[in-house]
Amino acid sequence: MQPMPQRALGERERFVAFAFAAADLLLEIGPDHRIDGAAGAFRARIGSAPEAFIGQPAANLLAIEDRPAFAAVLAVLPARGRLPPTTFRLADPA
């Protein structure tokens, strides 16, 4: 039996695989700081499907104590273009 040839991954698939190598949750945040896209282990980590968070402020997912630091990161993001990996604690599941 011949092994199946491996198909080449598309650019988006490579990006998603790379992103999940470093994180359990992946968010796309719009300029209004609301969640435009969500994927990953939301059910296991937060207790709801990723789709439940679309349109909500991204800060709502974070522990209250980490929200000021998150706001500061978002404030400098336009000037810097990207930031180094940053860790924030998640809010307790509702």
Side-chain angles (χ1 to χ4, degrees), residues 41-62:
F42 279 81
R43 282 196 198 283
R45 299 295 305 268
I46 301 175
S48 296
E51 299 81 22
F53 300 95
I54 304 296
Q56 291 188 23
N60 288 359
L61 290 175
L62 302 179

Side-chain angles (χ1 to χ4, degrees), residues 3-38:
M4 291 189 69
Q6 292 184 340
R7 71 175 183 90
L9 293 177
E11 186 173 328
R12 182 177 189 288
E13 291 169 310
R14 282 193 301 274
F15 171 77
V16 170
F18 179 74
F20 278 119
D24 292 337
L25 308 174
L26 185 62
L27 295 175
E28 179 181 355
I29 301 171
D32 61 354
H33 303 169
R34 292 185 176 275
I35 299 170
D36 289 341

